Amino acid sequence: MDGVTVSVLGALAALVVAIVLILKKVQPTYAMLIGAVAGGLIGGAGLTGTVNYIISGTQGIVSAIIRIVTAGILAGALIESGAAERIAEAIMNKLGAKRCLIAITLATWVLTAVGVFGDVACITVAPIALQMAKRAGYHKMGVLMAQLGAVRAGNVMSPNPNAIAAAEGFGLPLTSIIAVGIIPAVAALIVTSLLAYHLRMRGTEIADSDVNMVSGKDLPPLWAALTGPVVTIAILLLRPLAGITIDPLIALPVGGIVGTIAMGKTRDMGHYFTAGLAKMSGVAMLLIGTGALAGIISNSSLKDVIISFIETLGLPGFMLAPIAGMLMGAATASATAGTTLASQIFGPTVVASGVAPLAAAAMTHASCFVFDGLPHGSFFHVSAGGVNMQISERLKLLGYEAINGLAMLAVSTLVFGVFHVLG
């Protein structure tokens, strides 16, 4: 590697080109790769240096990609077997229409927390959520806000790809990332409930055509549906409880397999594997593009500029973690990509400033959810489609999503940065 430092202009160009291409509907992986190449060339790295930085960046996240791919076994089993739908249905039916916003929030949160992708959780919960909200006389904005906030509360304390990326970036156990995510998750649930209630009569009314009867397909019993997530969590907890370390690469697939057996769906296991791989392949490919961007930005002077800006404002060093997470989450409109970039690029500097690795990871991870739902990301469009919401109306929720994310950022920063709970 030639040791040439990419200029700030090059790093910014990499991000801008990637964002513009994504907005132009270019596949995000290619958009970020093209952005990385453009940034390297504009930043003065030359062809050879640019390629070397891109390769080194992607090499740095290979282990995260492998773990995310194996996590597809659990995700495939939960989604394809009907386990996710059963869990959501049980929560919604238990609380009833009078408490439908709380039910929608809890159902979406639980599904995301046990390992279901946020967009899948929204799509799974949406049909019954619309039915219950219509009976209660509520409108779409309140329903979707309940889901959007719950997804973030679940993601920050789940074995989903964003948490795996945080664990990899800071060299920490996944269980530790999940544990420190509980505090911002509680904050997100409280704020979500308040915002959803505030918006319950805002926006478009739920029409008869929006309400589809929930399918009467054969769903597994609740205990069997919960077996996979429970087994996974139990295996991961062996490390803090008994000193037995079992990597998520093993724990997540085992949970999916045991859950499949418990549901009596052994003959469908091959299908669940295939479906899970298909769902995770998109994330894996996204991370390749993310790694390419990370290779360019981490070898640029952008990090030094941001650090200097923080010092000029008189902010403490630990503030680099939440600021980096928020910026990278906004740039990629993805909590997974944002966490990966922030961890890989800024993580070592935050830790070198004296912040405990777990505290740095907690603040970085939580802050990636402030702007991860912007329109150049897929979650923005998938979540709107789940409740048949027009894009113009979906845009009105961005400010409320940011409030939710800022609450997570603020709580995490206060607990782990200001009060030094983790040292």
Side-chain angles (χ1 to χ4, degrees), residues 57-73:
T58 54
Q59 286 175 338
I61 61 171
V62 168
S63 56
I65 291 174
I66 294 173
R67 288 180 173 86
I68 286 169
V69 168
T70 58
I73 294 177

Side-chain angles (χ1 to χ4, degrees), residues 86-97 103 128 132 135:
R86 169 60 76 195
I87 295 169
E89 182 185 78
I91 294 171
M92 302 282 278
N93 290 338
K94 183 70 175 177
L95 292 176
I128 189 169
M132 297 180 73
R135 289 202 298 269

Side-chain angles (χ1 to χ4, degrees), residues 110-168:
V110 168
L111 290 188
T112 314
V114 300
V116 177
F117 277 13
D119 52 359
V120 176
C122 282
I123 293 171
T124 301
V125 173
I128 189 169
L130 288 172
Q131 285 186 47
M132 297 180 73
K134 183 172 175 59
R135 289 202 298 269
Y138 295 157
H139 295 189
K140 288 183 181 180
M141 287 186 72
V143 173
L144 188 53
M145 186 62 230
Q147 291 190 297
L148 296 174
V151 163
R152 289 168 172 79
N155 261 332
V156 78
M157 53 169 291
S158 75
N160 271 328
N162 48 280
I164 294 174
E168 286 292 311

Side-chain angles (χ1 to χ4, degrees), residues 6-387:
V6 178
S7 68
V8 174
L9 177 61
L12 293 175
L15 289 170
V16 170
V17 170
I19 292 170
V20 170
L21 290 176
I22 292 172
L23 287 171
K24 294 291 185 181
K25 308 302 181 185
V26 175
Q27 210 281 337
T29 299
Y30 288 127
M32 286 191 278
L33 281 168
I34 294 170
V37 172
L41 295 177
I42 293 172
L47 280 173
T48 301
T50 297
V51 171
N52 286 336
Y53 288 150
I54 288 174
I55 291 175
S56 67
T58 54
Q59 286 175 338
I61 61 171
V62 168
S63 56
I65 291 174
I66 294 173
R67 288 180 173 86
I68 286 169
V69 168
T70 58
I73 294 177
L74 175 61
L78 284 171
I79 296 164
E80 297 297 317
S81 67
E85 188 175 340
R86 169 60 76 195
I87 295 169
E89 182 185 78
I91 294 171
M92 302 282 278
N93 290 338
K94 183 70 175 177
L95 292 176
K98 290 183 179 180
R99 304 180 185 88
C100 70
L101 291 178
I102 295 176
I104 294 166
T105 301
L106 291 178
T108 311
W109 167 66
V110 168
L111 290 188
T112 314
V114 300
V116 177
F117 277 13
D119 52 359
V120 176
C122 282
I123 293 171
T124 301
V125 173
I128 189 169
L130 288 172
Q131 285 186 47
M132 297 180 73
K134 183 172 175 59
R135 289 202 298 269
Y138 295 157
H139 295 189
K140 288 183 181 180
M141 287 186 72
V143 173
L144 188 53
M145 186 62 230
Q147 291 190 297
L148 296 174
V151 163
R152 289 168 172 79
N155 261 332
V156 78
M157 53 169 291
S158 75
N160 271 328
N162 48 280
I164 294 174
E168 286 292 311
F170 287 92
L172 297 166
L174 180 58
T175 45
S176 298
I177 299 297
I178 292 173
V180 295
I182 294 174
I183 294 174
V186 171
L189 287 173
I190 294 171
V191 173
T192 296
S193 298
L194 295 174
L195 291 175
Y197 185 77
H198 173 71
L199 294 168
R200 69 193 186 284
M201 303 304 294
R202 301 283 186 90
T204 308
E205 293 185 23
I206 300 171
D208 291 336
S209 58
D210 294 320
V211 179
N212 298 314
M213 295 302 295
V214 178
S215 64
K217 66 181 180 181
D218 182 29
L219 298 177
L222 183 59
W223 69 267
L226 289 169
T227 299
V230 169
V231 168
T232 299
I233 293 169
I235 293 174
L236 291 173
L237 285 175
L238 288 176
R239 182 183 185 278
L241 295 180
I244 302 172
T245 302
I246 299 180
D247 196 277
L249 189 149
I250 304 297
L252 294 168
V254 168
I257 292 170
V258 173
T260 300
I261 295 171
M263 291 183 287
K265 307 267 188 185
T266 307
R267 283 188 290 185
D268 296 321
M269 195 174 295
H271 169 65
Y272 298 162
F273 281 25
T274 302
L277 180 60
K279 294 182 185 301
M280 293 296 179
S281 61
V283 180
M285 295 305 297
L286 175 69
L287 287 185
I288 291 176
T290 303
L293 271 182
I296 296 297
I297 298 173
S298 62
N299 287 285
S300 76
S301 49
L302 177 62
K303 178 172 59 179
D304 299 325
V305 171
I306 294 176
I307 293 172
S308 298
F309 177 72
I310 291 174
E311 291 175 347
T312 301
L313 293 177
L315 299 174
F318 66 78
M319 285 301 297
L320 177 60
I323 289 174
M326 185 168 53
L327 291 175
M328 294 301 102
T332 58
S334 164
T336 300
T339 302
T340 303
L341 284 174
S343 301
Q344 296 281 343
I345 298 168
F346 299 96
T349 303
V350 176
V351 174
S353 70
V355 179
L358 187 53
M363 291 185 285
T364 302
H365 189 205
S367 62
C368 288
F369 295 101
V370 178
F371 297 118
D372 69 317
L374 293 176
H376 58 284
S378 60
F379 181 64
F380 175 90
H381 302 280
V382 172
S383 58
V387 295

